[in-house]
Amino acid sequence: MKINVDRDRCVGAGQCVLAAPAVFDQNGEDGLVQLLQSEPGQDQHDAVTEAELICPSGAVEIHS
């Protein structure tokens, strides 16, 4: 699984961080998504999938 985030689309809602804090964070300066792991392990699959689904701006994309 590979993750891409589009910081231009991000609105800083932080839902991805709540769903998968080991994979996502928010930048301290602008509050936008910061990707901590672009290829997380299988143990993060459910959390990352939830983050993609609940992102209000569609800034999180998962690729197999």
Side-chain angles (χ1 to χ4, degrees):
M1 159 178 51
K2 184 171 175 146
I3 303 168
N4 289 328
V5 294
D6 186 343
R7 288 180 46 86
D8 291 331
R9 291 180 72 176
C10 180
V11 296
Q15 297 303 304
C16 58
V17 180
L18 293 174
V23 179
F24 303 100
D25 199 357
Q26 284 181 280
N27 183 288
E29 292 180 23
D30 58 15
L32 299 180
V33 64
Q34 184 174 337
L35 189 58
L36 301 176
Q37 297 182 53
S38 62
E39 295 186 35
Q42 190 62 28
D43 61 321
Q44 294 295 318
H45 183 270
D46 291 344
V48 171
T49 300
E50 180 181 350
E52 180 186 39
L53 292 173
I54 63 175
C55 177
S57 63
V60 176
E61 294 182 341
I62 300 172
H63 304 279
S64 324

